[in-house]
Amino acid sequence: MGKLFGTDGIRGVVGDNLTADMAFRVGQAVGTVLMEEKGIRPTVLLGKDTRISSDMLESALMAGICSVGGDVKPVGTIPTPAVAYLTREEKADAGIVISASHNPYEDNGIKIFSGQGYKLSDSLENRIEEKILSEQPMKLRTGEEIGRRHHGMRQLKRDYIDFVASTVESDLAGLRILVDCANGAASATAPELFGRFKAHTVFLHRTPDGVNINARCGSTHMEELADLVVKGSYDVGVAFDGDADRCLLVDEKGGMIDGDKVMAVCALDLKRRGMLRGNAMVATVMSNLGLHEFCRNYGIDLYCTDVGDRNVLEKMLAHDYRIGGEQSGHTIFTALETTGDGEVTALQFLQVLARSGKKTSELVSVCPAYPQVLLNLEVPNSGGVKEKIMESRELAEAVKKEEEDLAGAGRILVRASGTQALIRVMVEAKTIEIAQNTAQRLVTFIKSLKI
Protein backbone atom coordinates (compact mmCIF):
# COMPACT_ATOMS: atom_id res chain seq x y z
CA MET A 1 0.00 0.00 0.00
CA GLY A 2 1.29 3.46 -0.83
CA LYS A 3 1.80 6.40 1.49
CA LEU A 4 -1.40 8.14 0.38
CA PHE A 5 -3.73 5.58 -1.21
CA GLY A 6 -5.45 3.20 1.16
CA THR A 7 -7.97 0.48 0.38
CA ASP A 8 -10.52 3.09 -0.67
CA GLY A 9 -8.57 5.98 -2.14
CA ILE A 10 -7.00 8.84 -0.17
CA ARG A 11 -8.59 9.62 3.17
CA GLY A 12 -7.78 11.92 6.07
CA VAL A 13 -8.84 14.67 8.43
CA VAL A 14 -9.44 17.83 6.43
CA GLY A 15 -7.06 20.59 7.41
CA ASP A 16 -4.72 18.10 9.03
CA ASN A 17 -3.45 15.41 6.67
CA LEU A 18 -5.91 16.20 3.86
CA THR A 19 -5.64 19.82 2.72
CA ALA A 20 -6.67 21.97 -0.21
CA ASP A 21 -3.02 22.08 -1.25
CA MET A 22 -2.90 18.29 -1.38
CA ALA A 23 -6.16 18.15 -3.34
CA PHE A 24 -4.73 20.64 -5.84
CA ARG A 25 -1.66 18.46 -6.28
CA VAL A 26 -3.81 15.32 -6.58
CA GLY A 27 -5.71 17.04 -9.37
CA GLN A 28 -2.45 17.94 -11.09
CA ALA A 29 -1.13 14.39 -10.76
CA VAL A 30 -4.34 12.80 -12.08
CA GLY A 31 -4.42 15.20 -15.04
CA THR A 32 -0.74 14.67 -15.81
CA VAL A 33 -0.90 10.87 -15.70
CA LEU A 34 -4.02 10.85 -17.87
CA MET A 35 -2.31 13.19 -20.33
CA GLU A 36 0.65 10.80 -20.47
CA GLU A 37 -1.69 7.85 -21.01
CA LYS A 38 -3.95 9.48 -23.60
CA GLY A 39 -1.58 11.88 -25.33
CA ILE A 40 -4.29 14.53 -25.62
CA ARG A 41 -6.44 16.61 -23.27
CA PRO A 42 -8.19 14.29 -20.76
CA THR A 43 -11.66 14.74 -19.25
CA VAL A 44 -12.41 14.00 -15.59
CA LEU A 45 -15.93 13.65 -14.14
CA LEU A 46 -16.12 14.94 -10.56
CA GLY A 47 -18.72 14.33 -7.83
CA LYS A 48 -18.91 14.87 -4.07
CA ASP A 49 -20.86 14.09 -0.92
CA THR A 50 -22.40 16.60 1.51
CA ARG A 51 -19.47 17.27 3.88
CA ILE A 52 -18.64 20.90 4.63
CA SER A 53 -15.16 20.35 3.18
CA SER A 54 -16.29 18.81 -0.11
CA ASP A 55 -16.80 22.16 -1.88
CA MET A 56 -13.31 23.30 -0.93
CA LEU A 57 -11.68 20.06 -2.08
CA GLU A 58 -13.76 20.10 -5.27
CA SER A 59 -12.47 23.57 -6.15
CA ALA A 60 -8.87 22.56 -5.44
CA LEU A 61 -9.14 19.39 -7.52
CA MET A 62 -10.69 21.26 -10.44
CA ALA A 63 -7.96 23.89 -10.30
CA GLY A 64 -5.27 21.23 -10.25
CA ILE A 65 -6.71 19.29 -13.18
CA CYS A 66 -7.26 22.41 -15.29
CA SER A 67 -3.79 23.77 -14.52
CA VAL A 68 -2.16 20.81 -16.30
CA GLY A 69 -4.58 20.88 -19.24
CA GLY A 70 -7.40 18.55 -18.19
CA ASP A 71 -11.12 19.29 -18.57
CA VAL A 72 -13.54 18.74 -15.68
CA LYS A 73 -17.22 17.77 -15.66
CA PRO A 74 -18.54 18.55 -12.13
CA VAL A 75 -21.83 16.80 -11.38
CA GLY A 76 -22.30 18.15 -7.84
CA THR A 77 -23.57 16.16 -4.87
CA ILE A 78 -24.15 12.60 -5.97
CA PRO A 79 -23.54 9.02 -4.73
CA THR A 80 -20.15 7.44 -5.30
CA PRO A 81 -21.52 4.71 -7.62
CA ALA A 82 -23.13 7.44 -9.74
CA VAL A 83 -19.67 8.82 -10.46
CA ALA A 84 -18.50 5.37 -11.60
CA TYR A 85 -21.59 4.94 -13.79
CA LEU A 86 -21.51 8.43 -15.33
CA THR A 87 -17.76 8.29 -15.97
CA ARG A 88 -18.36 5.30 -18.20
CA GLU A 89 -21.50 6.70 -19.84
CA GLU A 90 -19.90 10.08 -20.56
CA LYS A 91 -16.75 8.39 -21.90
CA ALA A 92 -14.62 10.42 -19.48
CA ASP A 93 -11.03 9.36 -18.93
CA ALA A 94 -11.48 9.15 -15.16
CA GLY A 95 -13.96 9.88 -12.40
CA ILE A 96 -13.22 11.35 -8.99
CA VAL A 97 -15.54 11.36 -5.99
CA ILE A 98 -14.89 13.46 -2.88
CA SER A 99 -16.18 11.46 0.07
CA ALA A 100 -15.17 9.62 3.21
CA SER A 101 -18.16 7.28 3.04
CA HIS A 102 -19.32 6.32 6.55
CA ASN A 103 -16.63 8.34 8.38
CA PRO A 104 -17.53 11.42 10.49
CA TYR A 105 -17.83 14.80 8.79
CA GLU A 106 -14.34 15.95 9.85
CA ASP A 107 -12.86 13.34 7.50
CA ASN A 108 -12.98 13.39 3.74
CA GLY A 109 -11.44 11.47 0.89
CA ILE A 110 -10.58 11.35 -2.78
CA LYS A 111 -11.48 8.19 -4.70
CA ILE A 112 -10.57 7.76 -8.35
CA PHE A 113 -12.28 5.58 -10.95
CA SER A 114 -10.91 4.59 -14.33
CA GLY A 115 -12.68 5.48 -17.56
CA GLN A 116 -14.35 2.06 -17.40
CA GLY A 117 -15.90 2.84 -14.00
CA TYR A 118 -13.62 0.58 -11.95
CA LYS A 119 -11.29 1.57 -9.14
CA LEU A 120 -7.85 2.45 -10.45
CA SER A 121 -5.25 -0.26 -10.86
CA ASP A 122 -2.40 -0.37 -8.38
CA SER A 123 0.05 0.63 -11.11
CA LEU A 124 -1.87 3.81 -11.99
CA GLU A 125 -2.37 4.67 -8.32
CA ASN A 126 1.37 4.30 -7.81
CA ARG A 127 2.15 6.61 -10.72
CA ILE A 128 -0.25 9.24 -9.42
CA GLU A 129 1.12 8.91 -5.92
CA GLU A 130 4.71 9.29 -7.09
CA LYS A 131 3.83 12.59 -8.78
CA ILE A 132 1.95 13.87 -5.74
CA LEU A 133 4.84 13.11 -3.40
CA SER A 134 7.59 14.15 -5.78
CA GLU A 135 9.20 17.56 -5.36
CA GLN A 136 9.29 17.91 -9.13
CA PRO A 137 6.78 20.45 -10.49
CA MET A 138 4.25 19.21 -13.02
CA LYS A 139 3.98 20.93 -16.39
CA LEU A 140 1.58 23.85 -16.25
CA ARG A 141 -0.41 24.78 -19.35
CA THR A 142 -0.85 28.29 -20.71
CA GLY A 143 -3.20 30.00 -23.13
CA GLU A 144 -5.77 27.79 -24.78
CA GLU A 145 -4.08 24.66 -23.41
CA ILE A 146 -5.47 25.39 -19.92
CA GLY A 147 -8.28 22.99 -19.03
CA ARG A 148 -11.94 23.96 -18.92
CA ARG A 149 -14.80 23.39 -16.53
CA HIS A 150 -17.84 22.04 -18.39
CA HIS A 151 -21.21 23.49 -17.37
CA GLY A 152 -24.74 22.13 -17.62
CA MET A 153 -23.91 18.81 -15.96
CA ARG A 154 -26.90 18.68 -13.61
CA GLN A 155 -28.90 16.58 -16.08
CA LEU A 156 -26.43 13.76 -15.48
CA LYS A 157 -27.90 13.18 -12.02
CA ARG A 158 -31.25 12.54 -13.69
CA ASP A 159 -29.56 10.12 -16.10
CA TYR A 160 -28.19 8.17 -13.15
CA ILE A 161 -31.61 8.04 -11.45
CA ASP A 162 -33.14 6.84 -14.73
CA PHE A 163 -30.58 4.03 -14.83
CA VAL A 164 -31.10 2.89 -11.23
CA ALA A 165 -34.87 2.86 -11.66
CA SER A 166 -34.48 0.72 -14.78
CA THR A 167 -32.69 -2.08 -12.89
CA VAL A 168 -35.95 -3.47 -11.47
CA GLU A 169 -39.19 -4.60 -13.09
CA SER A 170 -41.48 -4.39 -10.05
CA ASP A 171 -43.38 -1.20 -9.22
CA LEU A 172 -43.07 -2.13 -5.51
CA ALA A 173 -46.78 -1.52 -5.04
CA GLY A 174 -48.09 -2.32 -1.56
CA LEU A 175 -44.81 -1.85 0.30
CA ARG A 176 -44.40 0.64 3.13
CA ILE A 177 -40.76 1.74 3.23
CA LEU A 178 -38.81 4.02 5.59
CA VAL A 179 -35.52 5.32 4.11
CA ASP A 180 -32.62 6.88 6.04
CA CYS A 181 -30.45 9.02 3.74
CA ALA A 182 -27.75 9.62 6.40
CA ASN A 183 -27.80 13.34 5.53
CA GLY A 184 -25.43 12.29 2.77
CA ALA A 185 -25.33 11.86 -0.97
CA ALA A 186 -28.52 9.77 -1.07
CA SER A 187 -30.38 12.94 -0.06
CA ALA A 188 -29.77 14.20 -3.60
CA THR A 189 -31.15 11.13 -5.40
CA ALA A 190 -33.22 8.79 -3.20
CA PRO A 191 -36.39 10.93 -2.88
CA GLU A 192 -36.77 11.26 -6.66
CA LEU A 193 -35.73 7.64 -7.27
CA PHE A 194 -38.16 6.07 -4.81
CA GLY A 195 -40.84 8.51 -5.88
CA ARG A 196 -40.98 6.74 -9.23
CA PHE A 197 -42.44 3.60 -7.64
CA LYS A 198 -45.85 2.87 -6.17
CA ALA A 199 -44.53 2.01 -2.73
CA HIS A 200 -45.40 4.34 0.14
CA THR A 201 -41.97 5.75 1.07
CA VAL A 202 -41.03 8.14 3.86
CA PHE A 203 -37.54 9.64 4.29
CA LEU A 204 -35.36 10.39 7.29
CA HIS A 205 -32.21 12.49 7.57
CA ARG A 206 -32.38 14.07 4.12
CA THR A 207 -31.43 17.64 5.11
CA PRO A 208 -27.62 17.79 5.05
CA ASP A 209 -25.95 20.87 6.53
CA GLY A 210 -22.32 19.93 6.00
CA VAL A 211 -21.69 18.58 9.48
CA ASN A 212 -24.57 16.15 10.11
CA ILE A 213 -23.58 13.49 7.56
CA ASN A 214 -23.59 10.06 9.30
CA ALA A 215 -24.33 11.81 12.62
CA ARG A 216 -26.35 9.26 14.61
CA CYS A 217 -28.04 8.17 11.41
CA GLY A 218 -27.51 6.07 8.30
CA SER A 219 -26.09 2.58 8.04
CA THR A 220 -23.70 3.06 10.99
CA HIS A 221 -26.43 4.16 13.44
CA MET A 222 -29.61 2.24 12.72
CA GLU A 223 -31.28 2.30 16.13
CA GLU A 224 -33.66 5.16 15.30
CA LEU A 225 -34.60 3.61 11.96
CA ALA A 226 -35.39 0.27 13.61
CA ASP A 227 -37.52 1.95 16.26
CA LEU A 228 -39.49 4.03 13.75
CA VAL A 229 -40.06 1.07 11.41
CA VAL A 230 -41.80 -0.79 14.24
CA LYS A 231 -43.72 2.24 15.52
CA GLY A 232 -44.88 3.19 12.03
CA SER A 233 -45.78 -0.36 10.95
CA TYR A 234 -43.45 -0.20 7.95
CA ASP A 235 -42.63 -3.35 6.00
CA VAL A 236 -38.93 -2.52 5.78
CA GLY A 237 -36.39 0.15 6.58
CA VAL A 238 -33.49 1.10 4.30
CA ALA A 239 -30.29 2.78 5.52
CA PHE A 240 -27.58 4.28 3.32
CA ASP A 241 -24.13 5.49 4.32
CA GLY A 242 -22.72 8.93 3.56
CA ASP A 243 -21.88 8.29 -0.08
CA ALA A 244 -24.68 5.75 -0.70
CA ASP A 245 -22.46 2.95 -1.95
CA ARG A 246 -23.67 0.64 0.80
CA CYS A 247 -27.11 -0.34 2.05
CA LEU A 248 -28.33 -2.11 5.17
CA LEU A 249 -31.95 -2.82 6.04
CA VAL A 250 -34.35 -3.39 8.93
CA ASP A 251 -37.24 -5.87 8.98
CA GLU A 252 -40.75 -5.11 10.20
CA LYS A 253 -39.79 -6.24 13.72
CA GLY A 254 -36.80 -3.93 13.89
CA GLY A 255 -34.32 -6.72 13.21
CA MET A 256 -31.08 -5.74 11.46
CA ILE A 257 -30.45 -7.07 7.95
CA ASP A 258 -26.76 -6.97 7.12
CA GLY A 259 -25.01 -7.43 3.79
CA ASP A 260 -24.76 -11.19 4.23
CA LYS A 261 -28.53 -11.53 4.45
CA VAL A 262 -29.08 -9.14 1.55
CA MET A 263 -26.73 -11.20 -0.62
CA ALA A 264 -28.39 -14.44 0.47
CA VAL A 265 -31.88 -13.22 -0.46
CA CYS A 266 -30.78 -11.83 -3.82
CA ALA A 267 -28.54 -14.81 -4.68
CA LEU A 268 -31.32 -17.28 -3.95
CA ASP A 269 -33.69 -15.27 -6.15
CA LEU A 270 -31.12 -15.27 -8.98
CA LYS A 271 -30.65 -19.03 -8.58
CA ARG A 272 -34.39 -19.72 -8.73
CA ARG A 273 -34.63 -17.65 -11.91
CA GLY A 274 -31.63 -19.39 -13.49
CA MET A 275 -29.51 -16.23 -13.40
CA LEU A 276 -26.88 -17.12 -10.78
CA ARG A 277 -23.84 -17.36 -13.05
CA GLY A 278 -21.49 -20.14 -11.94
CA ASN A 279 -23.96 -21.07 -9.18
CA ALA A 280 -21.74 -18.99 -6.92
CA MET A 281 -21.43 -15.84 -4.85
CA VAL A 282 -18.44 -13.98 -3.44
CA ALA A 283 -18.07 -12.64 0.10
CA THR A 284 -15.18 -11.77 2.41
CA VAL A 285 -13.56 -13.37 5.43
CA MET A 286 -15.72 -11.07 7.60
CA SER A 287 -18.93 -12.76 6.50
CA ASN A 288 -20.89 -14.56 9.18
CA LEU A 289 -20.76 -18.33 9.48
CA GLY A 290 -24.51 -18.20 8.87
CA LEU A 291 -23.85 -17.23 5.24
CA HIS A 292 -21.69 -20.33 4.85
CA GLU A 293 -24.53 -22.43 6.29
CA PHE A 294 -27.05 -20.79 3.94
CA CYS A 295 -24.91 -21.62 0.91
CA ARG A 296 -24.54 -25.25 2.01
CA ASN A 297 -28.31 -25.55 2.55
CA TYR A 298 -29.20 -24.14 -0.87
CA GLY A 299 -26.39 -25.64 -2.95
CA ILE A 300 -24.61 -22.37 -3.72
CA ASP A 301 -20.83 -22.15 -3.91
CA LEU A 302 -19.35 -19.46 -1.67
CA TYR A 303 -15.92 -17.94 -2.30
CA CYS A 304 -14.37 -15.64 0.30
CA THR A 305 -11.73 -12.98 -0.32
CA ASP A 306 -9.78 -10.61 1.89
CA VAL A 307 -11.75 -7.63 3.20
CA GLY A 308 -12.46 -4.90 0.65
CA ASP A 309 -14.93 -4.55 -2.20
CA ARG A 310 -12.01 -4.31 -4.63
CA ASN A 311 -10.99 -7.87 -3.70
CA VAL A 312 -14.57 -9.08 -4.06
CA LEU A 313 -14.94 -7.45 -7.48
CA GLU A 314 -11.64 -8.88 -8.76
CA LYS A 315 -12.82 -12.40 -7.87
CA MET A 316 -16.20 -11.81 -9.50
CA LEU A 317 -14.73 -10.47 -12.73
CA ALA A 318 -12.16 -13.27 -12.94
CA HIS A 319 -14.92 -15.91 -12.95
CA ASP A 320 -17.91 -13.93 -14.29
CA TYR A 321 -19.86 -14.24 -11.03
CA ARG A 322 -22.88 -11.98 -10.76
CA ILE A 323 -23.29 -11.22 -7.05
CA GLY A 324 -20.86 -10.54 -4.24
CA GLY A 325 -20.19 -8.14 -1.43
CA GLU A 326 -19.43 -7.48 2.19
CA GLN A 327 -21.32 -7.91 5.43
CA SER A 328 -21.02 -4.14 5.91
CA GLY A 329 -23.47 -3.54 3.06
CA HIS A 330 -21.39 -3.21 -0.10
CA THR A 331 -23.18 -5.45 -2.59
CA ILE A 332 -22.07 -5.72 -6.20
CA PHE A 333 -24.25 -6.86 -9.11
CA THR A 334 -21.80 -7.12 -12.02
CA ALA A 335 -24.60 -7.51 -14.57
CA LEU A 336 -25.66 -3.97 -13.64
CA GLU A 337 -22.68 -1.95 -12.44
CA THR A 338 -18.92 -1.83 -11.94
CA THR A 339 -19.07 -1.09 -8.21
CA GLY A 340 -21.30 -1.45 -5.17
CA ASP A 341 -24.39 0.78 -5.19
CA GLY A 342 -26.62 1.17 -2.14
CA GLU A 343 -29.67 2.33 -4.09
CA VAL A 344 -29.41 -0.46 -6.65
CA THR A 345 -28.99 -2.94 -3.80
CA ALA A 346 -32.05 -1.61 -2.00
CA LEU A 347 -34.22 -1.89 -5.11
CA GLN A 348 -32.99 -5.40 -5.90
CA PHE A 349 -33.90 -6.53 -2.38
CA LEU A 350 -37.23 -4.70 -2.39
CA GLN A 351 -38.14 -6.26 -5.73
CA VAL A 352 -37.60 -9.75 -4.29
CA LEU A 353 -39.63 -8.76 -1.22
CA ALA A 354 -42.51 -7.47 -3.32
CA ARG A 355 -42.60 -10.60 -5.48
CA SER A 356 -42.41 -12.96 -2.50
CA GLY A 357 -45.50 -11.76 -0.66
CA LYS A 358 -43.64 -12.57 2.57
CA LYS A 359 -42.85 -10.50 5.63
CA THR A 360 -39.32 -9.12 5.49
CA SER A 361 -38.26 -11.12 8.57
CA GLU A 362 -39.50 -14.33 6.93
CA LEU A 363 -37.70 -13.55 3.67
CA VAL A 364 -34.29 -13.08 5.37
CA SER A 365 -34.72 -16.09 7.67
CA VAL A 366 -33.14 -18.27 4.97
CA CYS A 367 -29.75 -16.99 6.21
CA PRO A 368 -29.04 -17.63 9.89
CA ALA A 369 -26.75 -15.34 11.88
CA TYR A 370 -24.27 -16.64 14.43
CA PRO A 371 -23.64 -14.30 17.39
CA GLN A 372 -20.90 -11.91 16.31
CA VAL A 373 -19.05 -9.16 18.14
CA LEU A 374 -16.92 -6.52 16.45
CA LEU A 375 -14.78 -4.24 18.63
CA ASN A 376 -12.76 -1.33 17.25
CA LEU A 377 -9.57 -0.29 19.00
CA GLU A 378 -8.25 3.18 18.20
CA VAL A 379 -4.50 3.35 17.57
CA PRO A 380 -2.13 6.18 16.55
CA ASN A 381 -2.37 7.09 12.86
CA SER A 382 1.39 7.35 12.43
CA GLY A 383 4.59 5.46 13.02
CA GLY A 384 3.31 2.29 11.42
CA VAL A 385 1.53 1.27 14.64
CA LYS A 386 -1.23 -0.66 12.86
CA GLU A 387 1.30 -2.61 10.84
CA LYS A 388 3.47 -3.39 13.87
CA ILE A 389 0.49 -4.69 15.82
CA MET A 390 -0.58 -6.95 12.96
CA GLU A 391 2.98 -8.31 12.62
CA SER A 392 3.20 -9.11 16.34
CA ARG A 393 4.08 -12.73 17.08
CA GLU A 394 2.57 -12.36 20.56
CA LEU A 395 -0.78 -11.33 19.05
CA ALA A 396 -0.76 -14.29 16.67
CA GLU A 397 -0.19 -16.63 19.61
CA ALA A 398 -2.97 -15.00 21.64
CA VAL A 399 -5.42 -15.38 18.76
CA LYS A 400 -4.41 -19.03 18.31
CA LYS A 401 -5.06 -19.76 21.99
CA GLU A 402 -8.50 -18.11 21.88
CA GLU A 403 -9.38 -20.08 18.74
CA GLU A 404 -8.42 -23.31 20.48
CA ASP A 405 -10.71 -22.39 23.37
CA LEU A 406 -13.61 -21.96 20.92
CA ALA A 407 -13.05 -25.60 19.92
CA GLY A 408 -14.24 -25.16 16.35
CA ALA A 409 -17.54 -23.54 17.38
CA GLY A 410 -16.63 -20.06 16.23
CA ARG A 411 -13.89 -18.00 14.65
CA ILE A 412 -11.71 -14.94 15.21
CA LEU A 413 -10.51 -12.27 12.80
CA VAL A 414 -8.18 -9.45 13.81
CA ARG A 415 -7.40 -6.91 11.10
CA ALA A 416 -6.26 -3.35 10.60
CA SER A 417 -8.78 -0.96 9.06
CA GLY A 418 -7.76 0.19 5.62
CA THR A 419 -9.48 3.58 5.99
CA GLN A 420 -9.26 4.51 9.69
CA ALA A 421 -6.73 4.36 12.55
CA LEU A 422 -8.37 1.27 14.00
CA ILE A 423 -7.64 -2.37 14.77
CA ARG A 424 -10.83 -4.41 14.33
CA VAL A 425 -11.42 -7.53 16.42
CA MET A 426 -14.25 -9.76 15.21
CA VAL A 427 -15.38 -12.88 17.09
CA GLU A 428 -18.17 -15.36 16.31
CA ALA A 429 -19.17 -17.96 18.88
CA LYS A 430 -22.03 -20.14 20.13
CA THR A 431 -23.32 -17.36 22.39
CA ILE A 432 -23.01 -13.59 22.43
CA GLU A 433 -21.44 -13.80 25.90
CA ILE A 434 -18.59 -16.02 24.69
CA ALA A 435 -18.03 -13.77 21.68
CA GLN A 436 -17.98 -10.60 23.81
CA ASN A 437 -15.61 -12.02 26.40
CA THR A 438 -13.23 -13.38 23.76
CA ALA A 439 -13.19 -10.11 21.82
CA GLN A 440 -12.64 -8.04 24.97
CA ARG A 441 -9.73 -10.22 26.09
CA LEU A 442 -8.06 -9.72 22.71
CA VAL A 443 -8.61 -5.94 22.79
CA THR A 444 -7.09 -5.83 26.28
CA PHE A 445 -4.15 -7.90 25.08
CA ILE A 446 -3.54 -5.62 22.09
CA LYS A 447 -3.56 -2.58 24.39
CA SER A 448 -0.85 -4.24 26.50
CA LEU A 449 1.52 -4.81 23.55
CA LYS A 450 4.77 -2.86 23.68
CA ILE A 451 4.78 -1.29 20.19
Side-chain angles (χ1 to χ4, degrees):
M1 185 181 297
K3 298 177 183 177
L4 295 177
F5 283 95
T7 56
D8 209 21
I10 299 170
R11 243 179 233 192
V13 179
V14 179
D16 181 5
N17 58 345
L18 179 56
T19 64
D21 288 341
M22 177 186 285
F24 176 76
R25 193 150 178 89
V26 171
Q28 285 189 312
V30 170
T32 299
V33 169
L34 291 176
M35 186 78 77
E36 292 172 353
E37 287 281 302
K38 189 176 182 182
I40 58 175
R41 180 192 299 268
T43 299
V44 179
L45 190 131
L46 181 59
K48 60 186 175 181
D49 71 14
T50 59
R51 290 163 213 271
I52 193 172
S53 60
S54 291
D55 291 344
M56 176 185 74
L57 296 176
E58 176 190 46
S59 297
L61 278 164
M62 283 197 293
I65 294 167
C66 291
S67 74
V68 296
D71 287 350
V72 182
K73 290 186 174 183
V75 294
T77 301
I78 204 164
T80 287
V83 172
Y85 170 78
L86 292 172
T87 296
R88 190 173 69 253
E89 291 298 303
E90 288 294 296
K91 296 181 171 53
D93 299 291
I96 299 178
V97 61
I98 302 163
S99 176
S101 188
H102 58 281
N103 288 23
Y105 84 91
E106 298 92 343
D107 295 351
N108 216 326
I110 300 170
K111 184 189 300 186
I112 308 170
F113 291 101
S114 71
Q116 291 72 45
Y118 294 108
K119 290 183 179 180
L120 283 189
S121 65
D122 290 339
S123 61
L124 273 179
E125 277 191 355
N126 290 337
R127 285 175 59 189
I128 291 170
E129 186 167 87
E130 286 173 5
K131 292 188 182 296
I132 297 169
L133 298 176
S134 171
E135 295 181 0
Q136 297 297 318
M138 284 169 266
K139 182 178 180 180
L140 299 179
R141 304 291 168 166
T142 61
E144 64 180 15
E145 290 185 345
I146 293 173
R148 292 178 171 84
R149 169 183 173 158
H150 291 244
H151 294 272
M153 297 293 107
R154 299 298 176 178
Q155 173 58 36
L156 295 184
K157 182 175 76 173
R158 181 69 55 82
D159 293 344
Y160 168 71
I161 294 172
D162 290 344
F163 159 71
V164 176
S166 75
T167 63
V168 294
E169 299 174 357
S170 172
D171 62 8
L172 308 184
L175 291 181
R176 287 175 48 80
I177 307 168
L178 187 61
V179 177
D180 184 344
C181 295
N183 289 317
S187 304
T189 54
E192 180 176 344
L193 172 65
F194 281 81
R196 298 189 181 188
F197 297 91
K198 294 182 179 180
H200 172 74
T201 307
V202 175
F203 297 90
L204 302 172
H205 304 296
R206 53 171 292 194
T207 55
D209 61 10
V211 300
N212 62 2
I213 184 172
N214 299 318
R216 298 180 299 280
C217 60
S219 63
T220 51
H221 301 279
M222 297 176 62
E223 300 80 10
E224 180 188 16
L225 178 66
D227 183 55
L228 293 177
V229 163
V230 174
K231 288 181 178 178
S233 299
Y234 290 94
D235 297 305
V236 62
V238 178
F240 299 115
D241 64 339
D243 67 336
D245 67 347
R246 72 172 69 184
C247 163
L248 297 177
L249 299 105
V250 174
D251 68 28
E252 79 285 356
K253 300 177 181 178
M256 301 298 170
I257 303 172
D258 63 16
D260 287 346
K261 289 181 176 288
V262 171
M263 286 190 291
V265 166
C266 293
L268 187 56
D269 178 69
L270 288 172
K271 180 179 175 72
R272 287 171 172 168
R273 293 190 289 136
M275 298 174 64
L276 187 64
R277 189 71 61 85
N279 192 48
M281 60 188 296
V282 181
T284 76
V285 292
M286 289 291 286
S287 285
N288 193 280
L289 287 172
L291 184 64
H292 293 254
E293 182 178 318
F294 159 79
C295 287
R296 287 195 301 271
N297 290 342
Y298 289 93
I300 295 173
D301 295 327
L302 177 63
Y303 298 98
C304 288
T305 71
D306 289 338
V307 173
D309 57 336
R310 175 188 294 216
N311 297 318
V312 172
L313 181 59
E314 286 178 355
K315 183 74 171 180
M316 295 174 71
L317 294 177
H319 301 278
D320 198 24
Y321 299 141
R322 292 301 171 87
I323 184 170
E326 299 183 280
Q327 188 186 52
S328 59
H330 286 115
T331 307
I332 305 171
F333 297 87
T334 53
L336 302 175
E337 284 187 288
T338 58
T339 188
D341 188 325
E343 291 174 310
V344 166
T345 299
L347 289 181
Q348 294 300 312
F349 181 93
L350 293 171
Q351 177 175 244
V352 179
L353 177 63
R355 281 200 303 252
S356 73
K358 298 178 178 179
K359 296 284 189 182
T360 307
S361 59
E362 181 186 1
L363 184 69
V364 301
S365 66
V366 295
C367 184
Y370 284 59
Q372 185 181 81
V373 170
L374 176 63
L375 298 183
N376 293 319
L377 173 62
E378 292 188 8
V379 297
N381 198 24
S382 59
V385 175
K386 286 195 298 186
E387 291 75 12
K388 291 175 183 176
I389 290 174
M390 295 308 302
E391 293 168 358
S392 166
R393 180 174 56 84
E394 293 88 349
L395 176 58
E397 291 174 352
V399 170
K400 182 179 179 182
K401 181 182 182 302
E402 294 288 354
E403 286 177 333
E404 290 172 350
D405 290 344
L406 291 176
R411 64 179 182 137
I412 298 170
L413 182 64
V414 179
R415 56 177 286 268
S417 169
T419 58
Q420 295 173 277
L422 300 172
I423 296 293
R424 304 191 192 279
V425 178
M426 188 275 286
V427 179
E428 289 174 356
K430 285 182 177 179
T431 68
I432 192 67
E433 292 77 16
I434 293 174
Q436 286 174 335
N437 291 336
T438 301
Q440 189 56 61
R441 282 195 300 270
L442 285 171
V443 166
T444 301
F445 181 84
I446 294 171
K447 288 179 178 179
S448 72
L449 287 172
K450 302 294 190 296
I451 300 298

